[in-house]
Amino acid sequence: MPGIVIVGAQWGDEGKGKIVDLLAEKADMVVRFQGGNNAGHTIVRDGHKYAFHLIPSGILYPGKACVIGNGVVVDPRVLTDEIDGLRAKGIDASGLRVSANAHLIMPYHLMLDSAGEAKLGKLSIGTTKRGIGPCYADKAARLGIRVQDMLDEKILKKKIAAALEPKRLTLRPFAKDPALDLQSMTEDYLTFGHRLEQFIADTSSLTQRCLDDGGTVVFEGAQATMLDLDHGTYPFVTSSNPVAGAACIGAGVGPRDIDVIWGVAKAYATRVGAGPFPTELDDAVGAEIRERGGEFGTTTGRARRTGWLDLVALRYAARLNTLTGLVITKLDVFSGFDTIRVCTRYRGDDEATFDVFPYHQSVLHHAVGDYVELPGWQEDISEARSLEDLPQAAREYLDFIADFIGVPIVLVGVGPGREQIIWTQSGDRLAAAA
Ligand code: GDP
Ligand code: IMO
Ligand code: MG
């Protein structure tokens, strides 16, 4: 009964969507377990580009069971738009299921997200302004509205009124916004409820049953380890736990249901929004990586910050997630580089060095990378389908990463297309075991 968790091992946008899509072909179910439509997962199939924010990345297989778990925060407007978008393309979304216990992003969460960022001014986090933080805050405060509440008018109205009450003061600038009217908000969410009713289910039981029947479940993480609310670069993080351990909570399964945990990392590093980024390249090389890698956000279109691969952070992520395999994507972006650098430790103030990811925010904010320089390669590798097809320098780069982290590389991405992937022997073995 294999449970396979796919998580981001850096700051997001590592190519998780593509990897989940690949694994979903042979899986029985795909389950998103945290985050919301702050995520943007791109899949390129037969030259067509699909971007998903909420719907799990397995949906392109007709009828595949695709679950939005209880740990996800759901904006029903975005979800219904995504379902409509799929239908318009003739894609069968009948396998979609949404947890009745997932929390709903409400119009006031969007307003609070924007207002909060504006108030922080220079200290702002650079959120996606999708209402993610305020929605999880209401969940923890026990003032959240859940998917099942959309099916009961009386409960829905009562809960919205209770949730609005403590926010009156902060929401005063939006008082005239029709979206805040209790009656029309209730009606809008009842309508979403009617539209989504066919998909609403006890997804925890569905997932457990699938595993108990010997099925394969892929648990799809959004965001990434360094954006984790507890373990990331707080406060410059998202408001959920994208680490592998959270798959159990956000899907409603137990730790023993997880067998395989793969972390996805790019061959370099990127970050969207504010916060520490020790290997950041604020120069022409960084701009070149951004251009070649197409590093512009799927969700907000923002230019992603770029830098060299940070092995200190990656080793931290490997341990936190107990990774059994490492997926390296976008290796093709480095073709044409004479040399490539990898960060193997941090340098701080007063000649201090750090081999382990520092817990102290002031240390982290001043940390810069200490690098090992490795030879690059000139060849186009986008047609490589086995490690042997790669130039020696590219293989050495991968070996350096795997040796340093102590986790085998299972997959290597050499382009955005579904077929542009190398299964290493370790990957083949692990997949067969699963
Ligand atoms: P996610 O949020 O982790 O699912 O990643 P995104 O979809 O936001 O960003 C990854 C981007 O890289 C997408 O545009 C993918 O199509 C693209 N991509 C994924 N793997 C590769 C790869 O190996 N090479 C290249 N060149 N692009 C890739
Ligand atoms: P995927 O799943 C990259 C970042 C935002 C911001 C911080 C908090 O595509 O990898 P939030 O709106 O979550 O409160 O913003 O987190 N962020 C992401 N960065 N990829 C993502 O998702 C992200 N989701 C949130 O840019 O810095
Ligand atoms: Mg993304």
Side-chain angles (χ1 to χ4, degrees):
M1 33 160 250
I4 304 173
V5 180
I6 302 296
V7 288
Q10 298 170 308
W11 279 275
D13 304 322
E14 298 92 346
K16 300 175 291 292
K18 168 177 161 169
I19 302 307
V20 170
D21 172 61
L22 264 177
L23 296 181
E25 184 176 9
K26 297 220 170 76
D28 299 287
M29 189 182 267
V30 179
V31 186
R32 265 283 301 266
F33 58 88
Q34 46 68 233
N37 59 305
N38 46 349
H41 297 172
T42 318
I43 299 168
V44 180
R45 276 260 200 113
D46 306 323
H48 296 287
K49 200 167 168 170
Y50 303 86
F52 298 118
H53 300 285
L54 264 176
I55 290 187
S57 301
I59 202 74
L60 295 179
Y61 301 95
K64 181 78 66 184
C66 283
V67 168
I68 296 179
N70 56 276
V72 176
V73 286
V74 177
D75 185 330
R77 197 178 303 275
V78 174
L79 182 56
T80 47
D81 281 354
E82 277 196 355
I83 295 169
D84 288 345
L86 286 172
R87 286 200 177 126
K89 287 189 179 124
I91 295 165
D92 167 21
S94 62
L96 181 69
R97 293 292 175 273
V98 185
S99 167
N101 289 347
H103 281 247
L104 291 170
I105 295 181
M106 306 298 290
Y108 45 85
H109 291 139
L110 298 170
M111 296 168 188
L112 292 170
D113 199 351
S114 294
E117 284 284 271
K119 212 168 179 182
L120 281 171
K122 273 195 355 223
L123 298 176
S124 73
I125 291 153
T127 73
T128 59
K129 298 193 180 150
R130 300 300 193 262
I132 306 297
C135 184
Y136 277 116
D138 267 355
K139 176 178 177 177
R142 292 152 296 179
L143 286 172
I145 319 289
R146 296 189 295 172
V147 164
Q148 57 181 290
D149 297 329
M150 290 191 294
L151 304 178
D152 186 316
E153 182 172 1
K154 241 169 90 186
I155 291 180
L156 180 64
K157 199 168 184 179
K158 228 161 115 180
K159 287 198 176 182
I160 297 178
L164 279 173
E165 192 45 45
K167 303 178 180 66
R168 288 259 167 243
L169 197 63
T170 332
L171 288 173
R172 200 176 277 164
F174 305 95
K176 291 212 170 79
D177 195 321
L180 266 193
D181 177 69
L182 177 62
Q183 187 56 34
S184 60
M185 206 188 311
T186 308
E187 281 166 18
D188 284 352
Y189 275 66
L190 282 172
T191 308
F192 288 133
H194 289 311
R195 286 215 47 204
L196 293 172
E197 194 166 3
Q198 60 181 306
F199 301 111
I200 300 174
D202 174 0
T203 55
S204 171
S205 300
L206 286 179
T207 311
Q208 291 167 9
R209 207 173 312 142
C210 180
L211 288 163
D212 290 345
D213 290 346
T216 298
V217 177
V218 178
F219 298 92
E220 178 181 24
Q223 290 81 51
T225 306
M226 304 312 290
L227 291 173
D228 186 276
L229 181 59
D230 287 75
H231 303 286
T233 55
Y234 192 88
F236 302 99
V237 293
T238 191
S239 297
S240 67
N241 293 108
V243 293
C248 297
I249 298 163
V253 298
R256 289 202 291 151
D257 288 316
I258 309 295
D259 305 276
V260 174
I261 305 166
W262 287 359
V264 188
K266 293 185 214 198
Y268 47 91
T270 65
R271 171 162 207 171
V272 199
F277 186 8
T279 65
E280 183 163 18
L281 283 166
D282 204 4
D283 60 9
V285 181
E288 192 174 356
I289 293 177
R290 184 178 308 114
E291 265 330 295
R292 290 194 192 198
E295 297 298 348
F296 299 90
T298 311
T299 300
T300 56
R302 288 179 287 179
R304 296 174 182 152
R305 299 158 67 192
T306 50
W308 297 117
L309 183 62
D310 179 345
L311 292 182
V312 180
L314 191 56
R315 193 161 53 187
Y316 173 73
R319 180 61 189 88
L320 265 175
N321 293 293
T322 56
L323 296 185
T324 60
L326 201 52
V327 178
I328 300 294
T329 60
K330 298 198 139 182
L331 189 66
D332 52 297
V333 173
F334 273 148
S335 289
F337 275 60
D338 293 330
T339 54
I340 299 169
R341 295 175 136 207
V342 271
C343 167
T344 51
R345 64 177 181 177
Y346 296 155
R347 253 178 211 292
D349 290 338
D350 305 323
E351 303 291 306
T353 56
F354 301 90
D355 294 309
V356 175
F357 194 75
Y359 75 92
H360 201 288
Q361 55 193 348
S362 304
V363 173
L364 188 59
H365 280 262
H366 292 113
V368 293
D370 214 2
Y371 299 97
V372 168
E373 195 163 84
L374 299 170
W377 61 92
Q378 300 305 314
E379 297 88 331
D380 176 358
I381 59 168
S382 59
E383 300 297 324
R385 296 294 177 268
S386 76
L387 287 176
E388 291 71 44
D389 295 339
L390 291 175
Q392 181 158 347
R395 285 205 302 267
E396 281 172 12
Y397 185 62
L398 295 173
D399 288 344
F400 189 93
I401 298 169
D403 289 347
F404 193 94
I405 305 296
V407 175
I409 293 176
V410 288
L411 289 171
V412 181
V414 292
R418 187 164 194 278
E419 66 298 339
Q420 290 179 300
I421 199 86
I422 293 172
W423 285 86
T424 68
Q425 269 187 1
S426 311
D428 281 340
R429 266 201 308 277
L430 279 166

